[in-house]
Amino acid sequence: MPYTPEYPFRKLDYGETLEVASGIHWVRMPLPFALNHINLWLLKDGDGWTVVDTGYNVQEICDIWGGAISTITGGAPINRSIVTHFHPDHMGLAGWFEENYGTQLWMTYSEWLQAHVAASETVTHNFDRWIEFYRDNGAPENMTVGFKEVRDAFRDPWYRLPETVRRIQDNEEIDIDGRTWQVITGGGHSHEHASLWCPEINVLISGDQILPRISSNISLWYTEPDGDPLRHYFESFVKFRHLPEDVLVLPSHDYPFRGLHGRLDDLLAHHQTRLDAALEFCAKPQTATDVIPSLFSREIGAFEFGFAIGETLAHLNYLVSDGSLERHKDDDGVIRYRRAA
Ligand SMILES: [Zn+2]
């Protein structure tokens, strides 16, 4: 059956809010990227409120939050932020909430640690290692020269990070306003992304794990060259299969939708097409850079190169781990993938 999502609500303007289920308010916020918006959620929680994801650290977003919060909460406390994963569009303002509203951060431990690793810039700004990783995977000089500038354009994406966390774990049940929300963790897009599922009102806050239109970035970093994030991503789908077909899904990008199971099938088919194309292309030994055009039909410039090669490597490593491809570092120091003998 073709995937045909149902979008029950109209698009909101930035800072506009809408109660999409009882006590659950959708807030649409701008982002300073090509992906220009993110969906955040304010949940009524007894005498106070819980915010799910916080937005990117720019002043404009803090200003919009100020208006939206006073409209929705009427000055009631925001006791808790539940953050789905460490990416700065989600976690960027966790510290701002803590500082201004006394909000306690709840998130999975891997994501909290990963935020502190990323914000320390020991890994994200280790340009020599990133460039070496890309060169080992066949990147030409002109694709690595702009790398430092790209990274430097996005410094300080997190407001001061909270130093303490209330850890949440897979399958944990969280009480919000007398309702039980189940934590569903998943890998692939990040290591321990948390979605929240409330059977009582049939609502899933899916974060970036399941998006209705675009596919989440599934990418390999130099820090984990043998990683298999695409397999972790697929494995997470199993945890969503028992949810009802008509569950209202609240994703971090685009719009709330119904059609979860069709979307899971659609995402699997999307990645399978790319896996098939990569395997076909590796009839002769190829570098990850060589394989990029068989996964991305559009032209990839220096700005997008890191995303494209990271995503390509995730597909290639999946094919290595299932025994379809072999990976060798050749005498010229370059890694090539070829069909398994
Ligand atoms: Zn993300």
Side-chain angles (χ1 to χ4, degrees):
M1 206 174 87
Y3 165 61
T4 47
E6 177 204 338
Y7 296 112
F9 308 105
R10 66 173 175 83
K11 177 178 169 180
L12 300 186
D13 289 331
Y14 295 140
E16 196 181 0
T17 69
L18 182 71
E19 188 170 0
V20 292
S22 166
I24 301 173
H25 297 254
W26 170 24
V27 184
R28 192 166 176 273
M29 284 289 187
L31 286 179
F33 318 120
L35 180 60
N36 62 5
H37 72 280
I38 183 167
N39 302 320
L40 311 170
W41 316 96
L42 264 172
L43 277 57
K44 178 138 187 36
D45 190 7
D47 296 336
W49 292 80
T50 286
V51 62
V52 179
D53 285 336
T54 64
Y56 196 81
N57 177 33
V58 290
Q59 186 58 45
E60 180 195 0
I61 297 173
C62 300
D63 295 343
I64 297 174
W65 254 136
I69 286 168
S70 58
T71 304
I72 296 173
T73 71
I78 303 170
N79 295 317
R80 166 167 63 185
S81 64
I82 302 176
V83 171
T84 56
H85 64 300
F86 83 98
H87 290 160
D89 45 338
H90 301 258
M91 195 185 177
L93 291 176
W96 179 83
F97 271 94
E98 182 184 62
E99 201 167 288
N100 289 279
Y101 298 92
T103 307
Q104 184 189 24
L105 170 66
W106 292 38
M107 71 190 298
T108 65
Y109 208 65
S110 307
E111 297 296 328
W112 181 75
L113 290 174
Q114 185 68 38
H116 282 273
V117 168
S120 75
E121 299 189 349
T122 50
V123 168
T124 51
H125 284 66
N126 191 342
F127 301 114
D128 292 345
R129 287 299 302 273
W130 280 103
I131 288 169
E132 182 188 328
F133 177 61
Y134 292 153
R135 283 202 188 121
D136 285 354
N137 281 290
E141 199 70 34
N142 65 345
M143 284 297 167
T144 59
V145 285
F147 180 72
K148 186 172 181 306
E149 286 67 28
V150 171
R151 287 288 159 124
D152 278 343
F154 297 106
R155 290 202 107 137
D156 298 323
W158 293 274
Y159 196 86
R160 182 192 56 75
L161 284 173
E163 288 171 21
T164 59
V165 65
R166 172 19 177 109
R167 181 183 186 179
I168 62 174
Q169 298 184 77
D170 193 31
N171 270 320
E172 179 174 348
E173 293 185 340
I174 298 177
D175 183 297
I176 305 175
D177 208 34
R179 293 174 182 147
T180 298
W181 290 77
Q182 184 194 350
V183 177
I184 303 175
T185 63
H189 178 64
S190 62
H191 282 85
E192 199 185 358
H193 178 291
S195 303
L196 297 168
W197 151 236
C198 182
E200 186 182 330
I201 52 170
N202 201 19
V203 169
L204 171 70
I205 298 177
S206 64
D208 277 354
Q209 198 70 13
I210 304 160
L211 300 172
R213 189 180 59 86
I214 55 174
S215 62
S216 310
N217 182 244
I218 310 293
S219 206
L220 201 73
W221 285 26
Y222 85 80
T223 47
E224 204 183 353
D226 299 324
D228 195 358
L230 185 58
R231 186 169 305 277
H232 299 314
Y233 187 56
F234 287 168
E235 284 168 357
S236 80
F237 284 14
V238 174
K239 298 181 176 182
F240 296 97
R241 287 290 188 187
H242 71 281
L243 271 55
E245 175 58 33
D246 63 350
V247 59
L248 177 65
V249 186
L250 307 182
S252 295
H253 305 289
D254 288 313
Y255 311 104
F257 73 103
R258 290 195 177 86
L260 170 69
H261 293 274
R263 183 52 175 157
L264 293 175
D265 294 341
D266 191 54
L267 284 165
L268 282 170
H270 164 83
H271 288 291
Q272 190 60 52
T273 303
R274 289 178 157 199
L275 289 166
D276 292 346
L279 184 59
E280 165 106 23
F281 191 72
C282 290
K284 285 186 197 156
Q286 306 287 359
T287 69
T289 302
D290 296 332
V291 178
I292 290 173
S294 59
L295 269 65
F296 295 90
S297 52
R298 65 180 188 275
E299 189 78 21
I300 299 294
F303 191 80
E304 286 180 295
F305 182 76
F307 280 108
I309 194 167
E311 182 110 11
T312 301
L313 282 162
H315 286 77
L316 291 169
N317 273 14
Y318 181 95
L319 291 165
V320 170
S321 76
D322 80 1
S324 304
L325 289 179
E326 290 174 354
R327 182 176 50 162
H328 291 287
K329 193 167 208 173
D330 291 328
D331 291 342
D332 58 1
V334 174
I335 296 166
R336 289 185 180 81
Y337 292 80
R338 63 202 81 203
R339 296 245 183 100

